[in-house]
């Protein structure tokens, strides 16, 4: 009884402090020992902007279906260049409304860049070199409802477009109900001698699946709820489901192919606004979209029919193979290896915008531990712990709950008089559990994952240009050789974009004299050059990861010759020689 009273008090305090307006003051540096609701995320962005107005600007880039504002924070040191002249680093989170720690990673990254600028040499260099675009909450309605309403840990994911799930002519009329008023939608079970489950002898909170011929004790009914529309079914028509990670433009497929796709691409109004905003920032070279859970770094492709150029896989690997070292327990793999998707955001970024894109699935399975032998394999057994139906995993997580979070993640089963089922029990994992780390674990999670973004920002293309040779080869003819070098792990543009011409290549241009020939040097020692037939003074190119390219120009005349390198996604350069 004492534990139940404690749980109700904890839930009431949580609801009061996080959802109804009694908030601790938000100051810089931001705190990451708790979760921010939608209003507090907005306030945190404004506080960061007000604290560093010379380094930031804060924009409302669109509104949601329910009219909430979607904010983007831009971090740029104007003293080192204008935004579009620098490689862009894009970071967003919370595209699914219940994946709230994704927004915290974004806030932490912004907080880290701004508060450590001028103090940490590495961070200062990255801020000077790049421009950062940060959208902590994509699905603003989903996040707001997750905090304000009763939910499971898995609900409030979608964009709230009304949908008649049960085809009765009504919309969203039979969602789960918080029967006991504790702020979470947990589970219902009922005593049933013909049920498929019995109580675990070591922990009555766990149901173990009965063996063939074994007498049952319980049946599972599902999530808390009643038959709101009187059709004989429970919880079959919850909030409308438009999956914001299946509604982007690239390789979109309709709902009969995959659930939640929407009636057409960008039917989510906030997604359309974000895409238009990204389109105006062609300098973005790397992008991260943070989700939960499972502990994964996912890259394109998201389907089995698409192949990624080897050069781009090598660039992805520079980030991905190091990312899993920064975040122990995570894996790095193509998104399709998890399951195929269509109209997903990371594919849209890569194939449409030429952005090397990663999905960060936060919080690895097995993080909630309570054991003394790391090498001992977990015993597999059948049961119902409502997370993988694995009794041993559930038993350990319950010990984690009991001994480390003091019972805050799990509600013990309590009797309830259901209007249809009669005497039942309600209990199980609360909404702020399972997919979400307890707040005491949050600081390490956001720091490690933000450090991966920092790694990527460090590897954005950094191009240098050198004149390697100027030689007179005739009475009025000079040979100029130029080398462009990229010392970092991301190329100046994706090979996929170069092959499919989704945006223009880099440009190397000679002015100040008449260029009679110009082209790429294939072998500098043998003087083998692939000369461009038309407009030789303008060369189109890209510079690979950790690589270089060399070009040769034959120029008539005397005086100052200017050489310009321009790139959408790398730094621009200019130099000159005198002939």
């Amino acid at each position: 009884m004492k534990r139940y009273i404690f749980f109700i008090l904890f839930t009431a305090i949580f609801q009061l402090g996080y959802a109804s307006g009694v908030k601790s003051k938000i100051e810089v540096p931001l705190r990451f020992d708790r979760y921010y609701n939608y209003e507090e995320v907005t306030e945190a962005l404004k506080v960061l902007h007000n604290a560093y107005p010379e380094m930031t600007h804060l924009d409302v880039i669109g509104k949601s279906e329910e009219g909430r504002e979607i904010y983007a924070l831009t971090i740029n040191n104007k003293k080192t260049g204008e935004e579009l002249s620098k490689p862009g680093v894009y970071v967003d989170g919370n595209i699914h409304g219940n994946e709230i720690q994704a927004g915290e990673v974004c806030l932490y990254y912004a907080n880290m860049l701004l508060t450590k600028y001028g103090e940490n040499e590495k961070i200062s260099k990255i801020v000077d070199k790049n421009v950062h675009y940060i959208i902590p909450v994509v699905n603003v309605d989903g996040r707001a409802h997750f905090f304000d309403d009763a939910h499971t840990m898995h609900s409030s994911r979608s964009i709230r477009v009304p949908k008649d799930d049960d085809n009765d002519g009504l919309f969203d009329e039979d969602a789960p109900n918080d029967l006991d008023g504790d702020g979470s939608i947990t589970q219902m079970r009922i005593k049933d001698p013909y049920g498929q489950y019995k109580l675990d002898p070591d922990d009555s909170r766990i149901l173990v699946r009965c063996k063939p011929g074994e007498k049952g004790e319980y049946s599972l009914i599902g999530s808390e709820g009643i038959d709101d529309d009187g059709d004989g079914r429970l919880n079959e028509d919850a909030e409308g489901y438009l999956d914001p990670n299946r509604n982007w433009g690239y390789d979109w497929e309709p709902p009969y192919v995959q659930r939640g796709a929407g009636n057409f691409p960008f039917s989510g109004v906030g997604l359309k606004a974000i895409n238009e905003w990204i389109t105006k920032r062609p300098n973005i070279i790397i992008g991260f979209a943070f989700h939960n859970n499972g502990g994964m770094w996912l890259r394109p492709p998201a389907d089995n029919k698409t192949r990624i150029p080897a050069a781009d896989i090598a660039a992805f690997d520079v980030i991905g193979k190091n990312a899993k070292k920064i975040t122990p327990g995570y894996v790095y793999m193509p998104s399709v290896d998890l399951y195929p998707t269509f109209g997903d955001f990371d594919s849209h970024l890569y194939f449409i915008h030429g952005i090397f894109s990663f999905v960060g699935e936060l919080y690895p399975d097995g993080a909630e531990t309570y054991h003394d032998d790391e090498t001992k394999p977990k015993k597999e057994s059948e049961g119902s712990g409502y997370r993988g139906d694995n009794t041993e995993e559930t038993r350990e997580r319950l010990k984690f709950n009991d001994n480390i979070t003091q019972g805050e993640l799990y509600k013990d089963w309590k009797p309830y008089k259901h209007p249809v089922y009669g005497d039942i029990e309600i209990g199980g994992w609360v909404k702020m559990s399972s997919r979400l780390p307890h707040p005491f674990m949050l600081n390490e999670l956001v720091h490690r994952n933000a450090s991966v973004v920092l790694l990527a920002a460090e590897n954005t293309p950094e191009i240098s240009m050198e004149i390697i040779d100027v030689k007179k080869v005739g009475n009025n003819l000079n040979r100029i050789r130029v080398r462009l070098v990229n010392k970092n792990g991301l190329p100046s543009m994706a090979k996929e974009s170069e092959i499919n011409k989704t945006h223009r290549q880099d440009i190397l241009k000679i002015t100040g004299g008449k260029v009679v020939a110009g082209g790429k040097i294939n072998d500098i020692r043998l003087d083998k050059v692939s000369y461009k037939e038309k407009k030789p003074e303008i060369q189109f190119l890209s510079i690979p990861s950790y690589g270089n390219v060399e070009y040769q120009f034959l120029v008539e005349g005397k005086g100052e010759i200017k050489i310009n390198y321009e790139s959408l996604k790398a730094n621009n350069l200019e130099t000159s020689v005198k002939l």
Side-chain angles (χ1 to χ4, degrees):
M1 185 64 182
K2 289 182 178 179
R3 175 177 282 182
Y4 181 65
I5 293 173
F6 173 82
F7 177 83
I8 293 297
L9 287 173
F10 167 79
T11 303
I13 291 169
F14 175 85
Q15 294 284 354
L16 181 65
Y18 284 79
S20 62
V22 180
K23 309 171 187 174
S24 58
K25 186 177 181 181
I26 296 177
E27 299 176 314
V28 176
L30 302 179
R31 291 171 49 187
F32 294 93
D33 55 356
R34 66 178 185 86
Y35 291 103
Y36 295 94
N37 63 24
Y38 164 73
E39 290 80 11
E40 290 176 311
V41 171
T42 299
E43 184 180 348
L45 290 172
K46 291 177 179 178
V47 166
L48 285 172
H49 170 55
N50 291 335
Y52 300 94
E54 74 286 353
M55 297 281 285
T56 64
H57 61 83
L58 184 61
D59 301 303
V60 175
I61 62 174
K63 291 187 177 183
S64 68
E65 279 69 12
E66 296 182 357
R68 291 182 179 86
E69 295 174 323
I70 302 170
Y71 280 89
L73 181 72
T74 300
I75 299 176
N76 179 49
N77 183 0
K78 296 177 183 178
K79 295 178 181 178
T80 59
E82 294 301 316
E83 287 180 26
L84 297 182
S85 70
K86 301 176 181 179
V89 180
Y90 174 89
V91 190
D92 80 23
N94 216 168
I95 194 170
H96 291 128
N98 62 325
E99 298 177 350
I100 60 174
Q101 74 266 50
E104 265 66 16
V105 173
C106 299
L107 284 179
Y108 186 91
Y109 187 65
N111 182 79
M112 178 172 66
L113 294 182
L114 293 170
T115 60
K116 291 186 177 293
Y117 181 80
E119 298 179 4
N120 183 290
E121 182 178 352
K122 180 177 180 179
I123 290 175
S124 299
K125 182 179 178 181
I126 287 170
V127 171
D128 287 344
K129 170 191 167 188
N130 300 293
V131 55
H132 289 84
Y133 304 109
I134 301 171
I135 303 177
V137 184
V138 173
N139 188 353
V140 290
D141 293 342
R143 187 182 185 99
H145 283 288
F146 186 78
F147 277 90
D148 294 348
D149 306 337
H151 280 285
T152 73
M153 68 288 291
H154 306 299
S155 58
S156 197
R157 289 176 61 77
S158 73
I159 294 175
R160 293 187 171 233
V161 176
K163 187 175 186 297
D164 180 12
D165 296 295
D166 54 356
N167 298 312
D168 63 355
L170 303 175
F171 292 81
D172 306 344
E173 80 286 350
D174 197 357
N177 308 92
D178 184 12
L179 299 179
D180 56 6
D182 66 357
S184 286
I185 302 293
T186 53
Q187 295 287 311
M188 300 188 296
R189 71 186 190 185
I190 188 170
K191 290 182 179 180
D192 180 2
Y194 301 101
Q196 296 182 339
Y197 296 95
K198 64 179 182 178
L199 293 177
D200 182 273
D202 297 324
D203 193 329
S204 63
R205 292 173 292 183
I206 300 173
L207 296 182
V208 179
R209 194 178 296 274
C210 295
K211 297 177 181 178
E214 192 173 26
K215 184 177 175 63
E217 297 175 348
Y218 276 90
S219 286
L220 288 170
I221 306 174
S223 298
E224 285 181 73
I226 60 174
D227 182 10
D228 292 290
D229 56 359
D231 64 355
R233 292 180 290 173
L234 274 67
N235 307 333
E236 83 284 355
D237 197 352
E239 70 269 7
Y241 198 86
L242 171 61
D243 190 326
N245 201 36
R246 305 289 185 272
N247 191 236
W248 297 84
Y250 177 77
D251 203 22
W252 177 86
E253 295 284 357
Y256 61 79
V257 175
Q258 63 176 359
R259 179 172 178 259
N263 295 326
F264 53 87
F266 300 117
S267 53
V269 296
L271 305 184
K272 182 180 179 182
I274 290 172
N275 182 63
E276 291 173 351
W277 186 82
I278 291 173
T279 301
K280 295 176 182 177
R281 288 153 179 82
N283 57 318
I284 299 174
I285 181 70
I286 183 76
F288 286 86
F290 284 102
H291 294 236
N292 76 29
N293 65 326
M296 292 172 278
W297 295 106
L298 306 177
R299 64 156 174 87
D303 63 81
N304 288 310
K305 67 181 186 293
T306 304
R307 296 292 177 265
I308 302 294
D312 286 354
I313 293 176
F316 276 115
D317 286 352
V318 171
I319 310 303
K321 288 184 176 180
N322 285 290
K324 65 180 185 178
K325 298 175 184 177
I326 295 173
T327 52
Y330 285 53
V331 297
Y332 162 58
M333 61 186 183
S335 181
V336 67
D337 287 0
L338 183 62
Y339 49 76
T341 56
F342 307 95
D344 55 287
F345 181 57
D346 52 321
S347 294
H348 184 81
L349 285 184
Y350 174 66
F351 290 103
I352 300 300
H353 294 289
I355 297 169
F356 289 93
S357 53
F358 287 89
V359 169
E361 292 283 0
L362 303 169
Y363 201 43
D365 291 334
E368 297 173 355
T369 58
Y370 185 82
H371 57 263
D372 57 7
D373 186 356
E374 292 287 345
T375 63
K376 183 179 179 181
K378 290 184 178 181
K379 179 182 177 183
E380 297 293 330
S381 62
E382 292 187 347
S384 184
Y386 316 116
R387 196 191 198 207
D389 208 32
N390 183 317
T391 303
E392 295 304 317
E393 177 186 331
T394 302
R395 184 176 285 114
E396 182 168 355
R397 291 189 64 235
L398 284 170
K399 289 178 180 178
F400 173 88
N401 169 74
D402 298 342
N403 294 282
I404 301 172
T405 69
Q406 292 72 51
E408 294 177 356
L409 304 182
Y410 192 92
K411 176 191 171 183
D412 289 347
W413 295 93
K414 297 297 174 185
Y416 184 82
K417 182 71 75 173
H418 194 277
V420 174
Y421 293 107
D423 292 326
I424 66 167
E425 296 174 11
I426 295 176
W429 300 104
V430 302
K431 74 175 180 181
M432 301 296 286
S433 72
S434 302
R435 300 175 69 100
L436 305 172
H438 188 277
F440 88 86
M441 305 169 75
L442 184 59
N443 203 79
E444 181 179 359
L445 179 142
V446 296
H447 180 81
R448 284 186 179 275
N449 284 276
S451 295
V452 172
V453 183
L454 202 68
L455 164 75
E458 191 175 21
N459 274 282
T460 56
E462 193 167 346
I463 312 301
S464 60
M465 180 166 61
E466 54 183 305
I467 307 301
I468 54 177
D469 183 42
V470 178
K471 183 178 180 179
K472 195 173 184 67
V473 293
N475 290 333
N476 194 35
L477 191 64
N478 297 274
R479 183 184 72 190
I480 301 174
R481 287 176 169 174
V482 181
R483 179 183 293 134
L484 293 162
V485 180
N486 180 12
K487 74 173 192 175
N488 286 342
L490 293 178
S492 64
M493 69 179 293
K495 180 60 69 173
E496 171 72 23
S497 299
E498 182 179 345
I499 293 170
N500 292 301
K501 298 180 173 57
T502 51
H503 62 78
R504 73 163 174 81
Q505 291 180 267
D506 304 345
I507 295 174
L508 182 63
K509 186 176 182 180
I510 296 281
T511 57
K514 182 180 179 181
V515 179
V516 298
K520 185 178 181 180
I521 301 174
N522 299 316
D523 190 321
I524 196 168
R525 295 170 183 83
L526 299 178
D527 196 22
K528 290 186 176 181
V529 181
S530 297
Y531 285 109
K532 184 167 175 268
E533 184 177 352
K534 297 179 180 180
K535 292 185 178 291
E537 70 275 12
I538 300 175
Q539 301 289 325
F540 297 99
L541 57 106
S542 64
I543 309 171
S545 309
Y546 302 125
N548 67 85
V549 292
E550 296 169 333
Y551 281 79
Q552 178 168 297
F553 299 90
L554 301 179
V555 183
E556 288 183 346
K558 296 181 180 180
E560 184 178 40
I561 304 298
K562 290 185 178 181
I563 304 103
N564 292 84
Y565 167 74
E566 297 177 6
S567 175
L568 283 178
K569 297 182 182 293
N571 53 299
N572 298 326
L573 298 166
E574 180 180 314
T575 190
S576 62
V577 296
K578 283 192 176 181
L579 302 180

